Amino acid sequence: MDGGQILLSYIKVWVILLLLSATFPNSKLAAKNTEQDKKRKLAAENSGISIDCGADEDYTDRNTGISYKTDKDFISTGKNKVVAPEYDLTTLYYGKMVNSLRIFPEGERNCYTLKPIQGKNQNYYVRAFFRYGNYDSKNQTQIKFDLYIGVNYWATVEETFENKYWINYDIIHYSVTDTIYVCLVNTGFGVPFISGLDLLFMNDSSYRSMNGSLLRRVQADLGGEVSLGTIRYPDDVYARIWQLDVNLTDSVSNISTEAITNIDIQGSDNRCRLPVEVLRTAVQPRNGLKSLSYTYTSPYKENFTPEFLVFFHFAEIEQIAGGKLREFTITLNGLKYGLFTLEYLKPLTIGPYKLQDQEGLVRFSIDASSDLPPILNAFEIFELLPLHDSPTNQTDVDAIMAIKKAYKIDRVDWQGDPCLPRITTWTGLQCNNDNPPRIISLNLSSSQLSGNIDVSLLSLTTIQSLDLSNNELTGTVPEAFAQLPHLTILYLSRNKLTGAVPYSLKEKSKSRQLQLSLDGNLDLCKIDTCEKKQGSFPVPVIASVISVSVLLLLSIITIFWRLKRGRLNVSLSSSVGLSLSLKSKNQPFTYTEIVSITNNFQTIIGEGGFGKVYLGNLNDGRQVAVKLLSQSSRQGYKEFLAEKIAQIC
């Protein structure tokens, strides 16, 4: 077989490989697009998450239309329980969710992990249900524990066997992270528990505060059946729990028009997306009176002055003869607003009004400005909850979560945010006092770790102390540890590490910049003259990322050149009839990224005068070759760069 035939054979193989490499990305793109379409459809159909924390299977409540999930995908700790038989309730608006619960007898903090598809920098309505129901037959007179949203305190839950019903806490939370944690913290007054948890996305909502979260204090639906206590409506997009038993100061009479179905709830004046049922009822002063009034007192005595947001909801549901209109003003904590006029069957939301009061009071009166008495259909009062603490630095969170996954760390307290609240930080982990906090120490000694030293450890850029001793770790010691600017303690003793100790780490140890412990690694070479073993990290590291298709083409041309030594001049485009355009990018990477791309330099695909070539995978799925300059290379740094430039230009 002459050189030309050999060349054609190689070209055929190369073309087949090139076509396959072009097919795989297209297949991935199609799969990706299909997955994105599914996510868009899911986002359109489901704007939230509802969890029955004690359920054994998913179900849809036929009365409310709410689809409940079990909590198996949101938390890994706790035990399912049911209320005592005498506490079993059949409720129209809450279903069987209030008859079961999950308890947490272990761990100081247990957290639900919620990952809404809308992600961070969004408003969410979060609601938690609690019902003791004497599940343990102990008739406990007081169970008390703390509730956290993310890293900030939300409320203190207090329950007793004497309460035949349930309590719920509602908060409108502006999340700065993609993941929202709802955590129960044991304060020493009984076993924490939870019955249900809702998270609802609030797109373009008037309930918005980026300075903190909004605690629901009053959500009053006026003019309905007071004896029901609370109610929720199937067409309420936020599944709000409306209070029917809120009493205004003045004697009132109810007005109701259940027959009305054409209230314009789709209009721009219904900014809070109220269900039509809320607007079908209202209250007005008793005959001869011209005002409605109400006073609210915050239940918590804080050291700071509370800030409130107040919404008033109106809809004229009476047809008034003679073309008269209902007009009124609102006085809120001494400040007067209005004049306001109502139109028949058109909703009107007034607010939100922001106010502060040192005594935690909200006082309002609605006063008539026409011959007709004022009415009020509903109102809401929220208290601003300042978010004093920021979540742990996201880079550190991503790194520690990857470490937890890589080593399958199963510790009860490794839930929620790693650093906050400070009373419940993860075991073996220390953080600084920055806001947001950073991880500065990690102790995973005697933790039954196995496999290579995970590259995610190198992303903890503020870490000062790292203890991985007394485990089953294998592979080499990453030289990148020397690049961590604050690392002063590195304990790797009593593992099964191999290869040579990186020169830069030994130098930092000799200069007392680093306290390095390596004892007990029998196959680890610590002396300067030892040979580099397979899998060690060459120094210095200069990485060249080259497309696999380009390497194949260069290999073919090299073989042909050696065979013919310049005697055979073949044009690919004329011989095969192909016009191929290949692109390669000279893209810089950090050493940590190179370690991640090559999966800790796991797969060698070639070796030359400069050193080994490793297989790598980029985040977008592309396969690349990574060439590293070996310290023992007989050729120099400049020659390596010259070859790199010649290959990728």
Side-chain angles (χ1 to χ4, degrees):
M1 182 179 293
D2 60 20
Q5 290 175 322
I6 294 174
L7 172 66
L8 290 176
S9 299
Y10 275 110
I11 290 175
K12 289 178 182 179
V13 173
W14 179 79
V15 170
I16 292 172
L17 291 173
L18 184 63
L19 292 174
L20 287 173
S21 67
T23 302
F24 291 149
N26 289 336
S27 300
K28 290 179 180 178
L29 180 61
K32 184 178 181 181
N33 288 337
T34 302
E35 187 64 25
Q36 288 176 344
D37 290 340
K38 289 180 180 178
K39 288 184 177 180
R40 292 191 191 101
K41 184 177 181 181
L42 179 62
E45 293 176 352
N46 182 10
S47 59
I49 304 168
S50 292
I51 304 172
D52 184 336
C53 300
D56 295 322
E57 59 182 6
D58 299 348
Y59 67 94
T60 298
D61 185 85
R62 61 183 181 181
N63 291 316
T64 62
I66 297 174
S67 295
Y68 286 99
K69 295 180 177 294
T70 68
D71 59 6
K72 65 178 182 180
D73 295 328
F74 306 98
I75 196 167
S76 58
T77 55
K79 301 176 181 178
N80 283 4
K81 297 290 182 178
V82 295
V83 299
E86 63 271 22
Y87 285 81
D88 192 82
L89 287 176
T90 301
T91 60
L92 180 61
Y93 307 110
Y94 306 96
K96 60 183 183 180
M97 179 263 295
V98 295
N99 291 324
S100 59
L101 64 159
R102 178 174 282 255
I103 67 170
F104 301 97
E106 297 181 356
E108 188 175 1
R109 175 178 61 162
N110 290 270
C111 298
Y112 281 80
T113 301
L114 308 177
K115 296 183 177 181
I117 58 177
Q118 294 83 6
K120 62 184 177 181
N121 299 327
Q122 302 287 355
N123 251 25
Y124 296 93
Y125 200 117
V126 185
R127 180 186 300 111
F129 293 88
F130 303 90
R131 186 169 183 238
Y132 167 53
N134 202 26
Y135 73 88
D136 55 3
S137 301
K138 293 182 179 180
N139 296 323
Q140 297 196 52
T141 56
Q142 185 185 52
I143 301 175
K144 185 165 66 173
F145 53 91
D146 287 342
L147 183 63
Y148 277 74
I149 181 80
V151 298
N152 288 279
Y153 172 83
W154 175 358
T156 295
V157 180
E158 296 187 54
E159 257 283 58
T160 173
F161 82 97
E162 296 172 347
N163 182 12
K164 299 293 184 181
Y165 295 94
W166 61 89
I167 54 177
N168 60 277
Y169 295 87
D170 297 48
I171 190 169
I172 296 175
H173 180 62
Y174 184 82
S175 179
V176 297
T177 57
D178 289 325
T179 300
I180 299 173
Y181 297 112
V182 176
C183 301
L184 286 67
V185 177
N186 192 324
T187 57
F189 295 94
V191 175
F193 61 89
I194 187 170
S195 300
L197 187 60
D198 293 335
L199 182 142
L200 300 160
F201 175 55
M202 306 187 77
N203 186 28
D204 298 328
S205 169
S206 295
Y207 304 107
R208 191 172 186 86
S209 174
M210 289 180 286
N211 297 322
S213 296
L214 298 178
L215 297 169
R216 188 206 70 160
R217 294 307 190 197
V218 181
Q219 214 156 34
D221 177 7
L222 303 174
E225 182 56 54
V226 175
S227 62
L228 293 176
T230 60
I231 193 171
R232 66 201 308 191
Y233 301 107
D235 60 343
D236 190 340
V237 293
Y238 302 137
R240 285 164 285 205
I241 298 176
W242 294 94
Q243 299 161 268
L244 298 172
D245 54 358
V246 175
N247 296 314
L248 274 63
T249 303
D250 298 318
S251 297
V252 298
S253 60
N254 297 346
I255 54 176
S256 175
T257 52
E258 294 296 331
I260 292 178
T261 59
N262 55 344
I263 298 176
D264 183 18
I265 61 173
Q266 302 301 325
S268 59
D269 287 331
N270 189 21
R271 294 179 285 112
C272 295
R273 305 185 70 179
L274 301 180
V276 68
E277 290 88 350
V278 171
L279 298 173
R280 281 179 180 161
T281 61
V283 294
Q284 63 182 358
R286 180 167 264 190
N287 292 338
L289 298 178
K290 292 292 186 177
S291 68
L292 297 167
S293 61
Y294 180 78
T295 299
Y296 167 78
T297 303
S298 177
Y300 299 110
K301 303 300 181 184
E302 310 259 359
N303 293 326
F304 64 92
T305 301
E307 182 177 344
F308 300 95
L309 266 67
V310 184
F311 296 81
F312 298 95
H313 305 297
F314 302 90
E316 181 58 81
I317 53 177
E318 287 187 322
Q319 281 188 304
I320 302 173
K324 293 182 179 181
L325 296 175
R326 201 182 303 268
E327 296 179 331
F328 56 89
T329 60
I330 297 176
T331 302
L332 182 60
N333 279 27
L335 297 177
K336 190 173 183 178
Y337 303 92
L339 194 75
F340 303 105
T341 303
L342 299 184
E343 298 181 49
Y344 185 56
L345 299 184
K346 288 189 176 181
L348 175 63
T349 289
I350 299 175
Y353 291 117
K354 294 183 180 181
L355 60 105
Q356 288 183 308
D357 187 89
Q358 291 183 346
E359 298 178 0
L361 299 179
V362 177
R363 307 182 190 88
F364 70 78
S365 65
I366 303 173
D367 305 296
S369 297
S370 64
D371 294 336
L372 299 172
I375 65 170
L376 180 60
N377 302 72
F379 70 94
E380 299 173 277
I381 300 175
F382 294 91
E383 183 177 338
L384 180 69
L385 177 68
L387 302 179
H388 297 293
D389 294 319
S390 298
T392 301
N393 176 274
Q394 191 60 49
T395 300
D396 286 5
V397 171
D398 293 340
I400 198 68
M401 290 299 183
I403 294 165
K404 177 182 177 181
K405 181 179 179 181
Y407 292 128
K408 298 180 176 60
I409 299 173
D410 185 19
R411 295 180 177 177
V412 173
D413 61 349
W414 275 43
Q415 301 182 57
D417 188 275
C419 296
L420 295 172
R422 300 192 186 280
I423 58 173
T424 59
T425 54
W426 291 10
T427 300
L429 186 146
Q430 294 181 20
C431 305
N432 61 21
N433 293 321
D434 292 353
N435 195 13
R438 301 295 303 268
I439 295 173
I440 59 173
S441 176
L442 180 61
N443 185 346
L444 293 177
S445 63
S446 304
S447 298
Q448 299 181 336
L449 309 184
S450 61
N452 293 335
I453 294 177
D454 192 75
V455 296
S456 299
L457 289 162
L458 305 175
S459 296
L460 297 174
T461 55
T462 60
I463 196 163
Q464 301 171 13
S465 173
L466 177 61
D467 188 349
L468 302 177
S469 63
N470 198 28
N471 285 294
E472 300 290 322
L473 295 174
T474 56
T476 57
V477 179
E479 185 186 14
F481 277 139
Q483 299 177 14
L484 294 175
H486 305 285
L487 185 65
T488 57
I489 298 175
L490 179 59
Y491 293 159
L492 301 175
S493 57
R494 296 184 299 281
N495 279 287
K496 297 180 179 180
L497 299 172
T498 58
V501 178
Y503 175 79
S504 55
L505 285 178
K506 291 188 289 186
E507 286 299 301
K508 292 190 75 171
S509 178
K510 289 179 182 178
S511 64
R512 298 186 179 180
Q513 299 177 56
L514 177 67
Q515 187 175 335
L516 181 64
S517 176
L518 298 168
D519 296 337
N521 292 281
L522 301 181
D523 295 324
L524 188 64
C525 185
K526 305 174 188 176
I527 59 177
D528 294 338
T529 58
C530 66
E531 292 291 327
K532 295 282 185 179
K533 296 187 178 183
Q534 187 174 1
S536 62
F537 292 82
V539 181
V541 180
I542 303 173
S544 171
V545 181
I546 309 169
S547 300
V548 174
S549 56
V550 175
L551 285 177
L552 290 171
L553 180 58
L554 289 174
S555 300
I556 294 169
I557 293 174
T558 302
I559 293 172
F560 173 68
W561 184 263
R562 290 179 178 177
L563 285 172
K564 302 301 293 180
R565 294 188 180 277
R567 289 178 295 171
L568 184 61
N569 185 13
V570 180
S571 172
L572 293 180
S573 60
S574 59
S575 299
V576 193
L578 295 175
S579 177
L580 303 175
S581 176
L582 302 176
K583 296 182 180 180
S584 180
K585 296 182 179 178
N586 186 12
Q587 181 178 352
F589 293 89
T590 65
Y591 182 84
T592 301
E593 290 172 328
I594 291 297
V595 174
S596 177
I597 288 170
T598 60
N599 194 19
N600 207 4
F601 300 93
Q602 186 175 38
T603 305
I604 300 174
I605 59 175
E607 186 171 3
F610 294 112
K612 295 181 175 62
V613 181
Y614 297 88
L615 177 66
N617 292 280
L618 299 181
N619 290 333
D620 59 8
R622 286 183 297 160
Q623 287 189 328
V624 295
V626 180
K627 177 177 288 188
L628 302 182
L629 176 61
S630 171
Q631 190 178 30
S632 61
S633 171
R634 294 185 301 273
Q635 302 184 56
Y637 174 79
K638 292 182 179 179
E639 290 83 357
F640 177 80
L641 286 181
E643 179 182 291
K644 181 169 85 81
I645 294 171
Q647 286 180 333
I648 66 178
C649 291

